[in-house]
Amino acid sequence: LPLSFKLYDNEGKEVDNLMPGASFPKAKEAFPGALTNSELVSKITETLEKKGYNKETSLVATSLCCDEVNRPLESDLREIYDTNFNMGGLAGFPFGGATSFGAMAAHIPDGGSCLVVYGPHVGVDSTGAVGTVERRGRANGGSCCGSAVAASGYVGSVFKGDAEKAALPEDALDAQQYFVGSMLMPYAERLDAAEEKMKELPYALYDAQTELMGRIVEKSGGAVADGTTAVLGGIQINTPPGYSDYFLPLSFKLHDNEGKEVEDIMWA
């Protein structure tokens, strides 16, 4: 039973934790209430088993940013609900929209239900800095989430009068980034007033995504033939290589097959 695996330099100082999936306390310091991926999966399983969810008849759909650092959570979810359906695009917004939800619902096994997991992501690096993270094989880390940070800069410039609002794009070349900025715009004042903008940014993005996901479920929830839709929203927290990622759950609600919310199933 391996319990620790650490690397030391030639002065005897610990320089790295090599244990796969090790905890990373700085993530919880920055985002109190965050759970490791394994803790999150256990909570989800325990909660949804009581609602009749199982691997044979349940389907999981994710709306997480396309950044490769977000794939471990999907891998963990696949362990309990098989291959995931992907609704997400830049910054985690469900850009697949109502059409993708309807398609996903048509793939649910007969008599089954679906779990939807959505949210923005944010990095916490080895120093505890928020909004950046070390990446595999790179000497220097970078913005995390890059799309979100870029949108925040755009929104801040417009709010301060230093830039004009971007025009609605006529083609798909960079349409997703336009809509990330557009949907973040209502939170410009809140972000401008924040003492720690990189910490506030994922919360603002979560609120924007919750509004959009709510409209998607309301419009297309009726496509779920027999079962229910459990919608878990929160903030995904990426950590340096070798450590477990985290997820801060902010809402967990159950909807009937007409898309109507019927129960708040967030654990205490």
Side-chain angles (χ1 to χ4, degrees), residues 96-183:
T99 297
S100 72
F101 188 97
M104 177 275 296
H107 302 167
I108 298 171
D110 294 340
S113 298
C114 65
L115 164 66
V116 177
V117 180
Y118 75 93
H121 72 114
V122 62
V124 178
D125 73 12
S126 58
T127 70
V130 176
T132 182
V133 74
E134 293 88 351
R135 293 179 181 268
R136 179 179 62 88
R138 294 185 62 86
N140 299 307
S143 296
C144 183
C145 166
S147 169
V149 172
S152 175
Y154 158 71
V155 165
S157 294
V158 173
F159 179 74
K160 294 174 181 177
D162 297 332
E164 297 291 328
K165 283 189 178 181
L168 184 68
E170 296 182 355
D171 64 39
L173 182 63
D174 204 21
Q176 284 196 14
Q177 186 61 26
Y178 165 83
F179 283 106
V180 173
S182 177
M183 287 186 278

Side-chain angles (χ1 to χ4, degrees), residues 59-63 74 83-87 99-101 103-104 107:
L59 178 64
V60 60
T62 56
S63 182
E74 290 177 334
T83 305
N84 68 288
F85 186 100
N86 186 7
M87 297 174 60
T99 297
S100 72
F101 188 97
M104 177 275 296
H107 302 167

Side-chain angles (χ1 to χ4, degrees), residues 13-74:
K13 296 178 181 178
E14 181 184 333
V15 294
D16 199 2
N17 188 332
L18 303 178
M19 179 67 72
S23 62
F24 187 67
K26 289 183 174 66
K28 294 193 73 168
E29 292 170 12
F31 295 93
L35 304 173
T36 64
N37 281 3
S38 61
E39 291 171 337
L40 177 72
V41 168
S42 294
K43 290 284 191 182
I44 291 172
T45 305
E46 179 183 353
T47 300
L48 292 184
E49 278 182 350
K50 299 173 185 176
K51 303 300 177 183
Y53 283 62
N54 57 63
K55 188 168 186 175
E56 288 70 35
T57 63
S58 302
L59 178 64
V60 60
T62 56
S63 182
L64 306 172
C65 182
C66 39
D67 190 326
E68 76 278 1
V69 296
N70 298 314
R71 306 288 72 83
L73 177 56
E74 290 177 334

